[in-house]
Amino acid sequence: MNEYLDIHPDVAAALAAGKPVVALESTIISHGMPWPQNAETAKKVEQIIRDNGAVPATIAIIDGRLKAGLSNNEIDTLAKAGLSVTKCSRRDLPYVVAKKQHGATTVAATMIIAAMAGIKVFATGGIGGVHRGAQQTFDISADLQELAKTNVAVVCAGAKSILDLALTREYLETQGVPVLGYKTDTLPAFYTRESDQTVDYNMTSAEEIAHFIKAKWAMQLHGGAIIANPIPEEFAMDKATIDAAINQALLEMEEQGVAGKESTPFLLARVAQLTGGDSLASNIQLVFNNARLAAEIASAL
Ligand code: PSU
Ligand code: MN
């Protein structure tokens, strides 16, 4: 076991017994949602995973320790601190560990810590990707590179169209990252069930997905897989409404010169403000939906 890693006793027991475990990220708590909905959602997601027969492992850095599994108090600490917690992707981990700080892990950093702990399935809302205008800015989330090399399957609701979905698909193809649709042929766009992009394969059950992942890793084809799970119809948003908010947020980002690791949190917060409570309600529901599917996949695996 890694000397910097603490595995929560419940998670360690499940792993030792070969029981299903689902990892959860923490940037969605600190940077993806406002207090107190962030803490309520994080705890409810854990409960949904338990109700579906798996053990949740929310991942973060607490006082410089990599954590696979948090207490409710630790969730509250990150949720209250919000944007003041360091958003940690791959490059940030050593700094926060060496300085013994708290850190909220992105999809990339969560995959790294999950893999260290031996957790194979991870549920989140949306992944990072190739940003619009990346031809000029080179803004490509480190999440994609992590998916190319770290063996963790990521269940998400696709990617938000704050990103360039077509370029994101191309990048994933080049890096050999499979994109599996759960009962869908098109890549979901987070708030909406569809986009103009396709998935690689339409999978209709958790067992089918588990067989795919098992075969991939048994052949030493390193890297993750994306399982794209569309938001339930009743919680999906109107496409024109969400597109307008995203375009407005992108415009403001450019005007204000927001760049680098601040881009994604800025866009997420601004889109949430511009759409009122609607987008937050959708966001919460799609995370619950992904948690259920991830628990089923972890059980099947
Ligand atoms: N997309 C969302 N919600 C999120 C994120 C992305 O819809 O909370 C977070 C995730 O933690 C993701 C990170 O890994 O943003 C990507 O940030 P960046 O683009 O800076 O790599
Ligand atoms: Mn970026």
Side-chain angles (χ1 to χ4, degrees):
M1 184 152 122
N2 193 284
E3 63 178 298
Y4 295 100
L5 175 65
D6 294 332
I7 304 183
H8 188 284
D10 295 352
V11 176
L15 290 169
K19 296 209 174 114
V21 177
V22 174
L24 298 160
E25 64 152 306
S26 44
T27 294
I28 190 174
I29 302 175
S30 60
H31 290 64
M33 288 183 191
W35 168 267
Q37 287 94 338
N38 54 359
E40 287 161 12
T41 303
K43 292 173 204 166
K44 180 92 190 285
V45 173
E46 289 198 344
Q47 192 53 47
I48 288 172
I49 288 171
R50 286 190 198 99
D51 293 345
N52 285 272
V55 173
T58 302
I59 288 179
I61 305 163
I62 302 289
D63 294 324
R65 299 290 302 169
L66 308 178
K67 297 278 182 189
L70 297 184
S71 67
N72 281 344
N73 278 342
E74 288 167 336
I75 288 176
D76 285 337
T77 299
L78 296 176
K80 278 188 197 144
L83 299 181
S84 70
V85 176
T86 302
K87 174 185 162 190
C88 292
S89 191
R90 170 175 274 268
R91 59 114 191 249
D92 308 292
L93 290 175
Y95 181 85
V96 172
V97 166
K99 291 280 187 186
K100 297 190 164 45
Q101 294 176 355
H102 295 339
T105 50
T106 63
V107 168
T110 302
M111 289 177 74
I112 292 169
I113 298 169
M116 263 183 212
I119 303 168
K120 300 190 170 351
V121 180
F122 164 19
T124 187
I127 54 166
V130 180
H131 281 257
R132 295 204 213 169
Q135 295 92 332
Q136 291 303 319
T137 63
F138 268 50
D139 191 349
I140 299 173
S141 173
D143 291 354
L144 299 186
Q145 205 50 47
E146 209 58 52
L147 281 157
K149 62 183 162 213
T150 299
N151 294 9
V152 176
V154 181
V155 181
C156 65
K160 282 199 177 85
S161 57
I162 56 172
L163 303 170
D164 186 319
L165 298 186
L167 292 186
T168 301
R169 292 288 290 116
E170 290 295 343
Y171 194 93
L172 290 167
E173 181 183 359
T174 302
Q175 296 293 331
V177 179
V179 179
L180 310 180
Y182 182 63
K183 298 183 182 170
T184 180
D185 291 321
T186 75
L187 181 70
F190 200 85
Y191 296 118
T192 55
R193 291 176 58 83
E194 294 184 349
S195 70
D196 57 2
Q197 296 298 309
T198 59
V199 296
D200 296 321
Y201 303 103
N202 182 341
M203 299 271 172
T204 55
S205 71
E207 288 72 23
E208 206 183 349
I209 294 166
H211 277 298
F212 180 102
I213 294 166
K214 179 171 180 263
K216 181 178 198 280
W217 292 334
M219 289 185 284
Q220 310 291 323
L221 299 174
H222 295 297
I226 293 173
I227 294 107
N229 186 26
I231 184 172
E233 187 79 63
E234 62 267 39
F235 302 114
M237 293 188 70
D238 172 58
K239 188 175 180 319
T241 307
I242 196 69
D243 284 352
I246 286 171
N247 287 330
Q248 173 73 22
L250 284 164
L251 207 70
E252 292 177 16
M253 185 176 86
E254 202 175 320
E255 279 167 8
Q256 296 176 31
V258 178
K261 72 189 288 191
E262 320 300 338
S263 293
T264 299
F266 176 88
L267 290 168
L268 295 177
R270 205 54 197 117
V271 168
Q273 282 168 357
L274 289 164
T275 55
D278 287 3
S279 71
L280 182 58
S282 297
N283 198 343
I284 291 169
Q285 291 298 329
L286 65 82
V287 175
F288 293 165
N289 191 47
N290 295 342
R292 279 186 286 268
L293 178 58
E296 287 176 26
I297 294 168
S299 302
L301 204 57

